[in-house]
Amino acid sequence: MRVLLIGGGGREHALALGLVADPSVEALFAAPGNPGVGEVAALRDVVPTDPAAVAALAVECGADLVVVGPEAPLVAGVADAVRAKGIPAFGPSAEAAQLEGSKAFAKDVMTAAGVPTARAYTCADAESVGQALDDFGAPYVVKNDCLAAGKGVVVTEDRRVAEEHARECGQVVIEEYLAGPEASLFVVTDGETAVPLLPAQDFKRVGDGDTGPNTGGMGAYAPLPWAPPGLVDEVMRDIVHPTLAELRRRGTPFAGLLYVGLAITAAGPRVIEFNARFGDPETQAVLALLETPLAGLLHAAATGELAAHPPLRWREGAAVTVVVAAEGYPATPRTGDVIHGAEASGVIHAGTRRAADGTLRSAGGRVLCGTAIGADLAAARDAAYELVRGIELADSHHRTDIAAAAVDGRIATPG
Ligand code: AMP
Ligand code: GLY
């Protein structure tokens, strides 16, 4: 089949590697892609959030499947526009993508579906903000009620910081703090049938020991050696299937990738957030372990045939990915620096570009990811950091503790 991949970050490089490894893929196109994606796909130019332009490109490429990576095109209706041309698209409709696009919508769906999540208030003025902060107490969780690329959330002990974030955002969702280790579960679904991938853990804070501001994610590993037995089954039964059923009931079925961001609390798994697409950088780790051909799986989801798809096969062992970020990330990343050492297998491109002089340059906050698999988590972690040591980017930074607590057995679920 001929596949068109939309997006150009680390997630899309990982998706591209998975798609070209599928023997059923005869041609892979990507737009806009990045230099890493360009090594395995034919790059095309398109504004990813322009539904008509993406649909036209899909026709031009003769695509049998369009895979939409990031959230913004989904919320803009890119998958709908592609499907309107009769081409299968992996990714939810604009309406179903509101599960990620609006925190208030997601809370409403969860309430209707009886899905366990933090109690929350949607607040649009200082008075209701004050009441919500009083009700829950510290630590305060204040979320921008619009797409914020993972950076619209403030978790703080400082009341003034919480109030200020609420003021800057306009409408916010203020919620109860959930205590417990976090997990990301990706679920491939055609709206009805749902297939979980291996659970992963992301590292949201910029600094070692979970310090500093939230980022898009600084590293990840899969699977989770500390996960309680039955975790995935429980999440599918209590969270995923009720959510999918509620969206079907509303007439806006969710087909694509349902990303369930969880806190594993004393009372069991609780939803922190839903996303409508693969997570970045968890995808780099999860797909490194997937043996089942990726294009076939995504095509089955895009065409409503997931029930007939064979069970997933996974490599033994574990995978770790470590993000190398630009100086200044997440606040104001510096771009344009020369990169060396990105040729090694396992180096995934996120924010890179090829300059006119042929050099590889940084072009975003998260620049590259060292992704490796190993016989166990410790071996995968060592191999990922070996890749990171080989990358040269002036003043870059990365976390040194990705997967460390899990390797050392220091992660415990409460209760
Ligand atoms: P989100 O964008 O909703 O995933 O939030 C970003 C990060 O903020 C999450 O990965 C958590 O680390 C943290 N966070 C969000 N909501 C909560 C909550 N209710 N309790 C504790 N931490 C949270
Ligand atoms: N890694 C977090 C996200 O993709 O939203």
Side-chain angles (χ1 to χ4, degrees), residues 7-17 33-39 280 284 321 324 339 341-344 346-354 359-362 366-371 391:
R11 162 188 47 221
E12 284 74 31
H13 191 185
L15 285 165
L17 292 172
N34 64 33
V37 175
E39 284 166 17
D280 192 341
Q284 288 83 315
T321 189
V324 176
I339 301 162
E343 300 73 28
V347 173
I348 305 262
H349 290 239
T352 67
R353 70 180 169 85
R354 191 65 68 183
T359 55
L360 189 67
R361 305 266 177 164
S362 58
R366 296 187 292 176
V367 182
L368 298 158
C369 317
T371 305
I391 294 170

Side-chain angles (χ1 to χ4, degrees), residues 28-35 37-39 41-45:
L28 178 63
F29 304 89
N34 64 33
V37 175
E39 284 166 17
L43 299 188
R44 293 286 188 271
D45 213 13

Side-chain angles (χ1 to χ4, degrees), residues 204-227:
K204 288 264 168 62
R205 301 284 184 134
V206 73
D208 282 359
D210 295 329
T211 53
N214 269 322
T215 69
M218 293 298 290
Y221 64 92
L224 308 175
W226 51 266

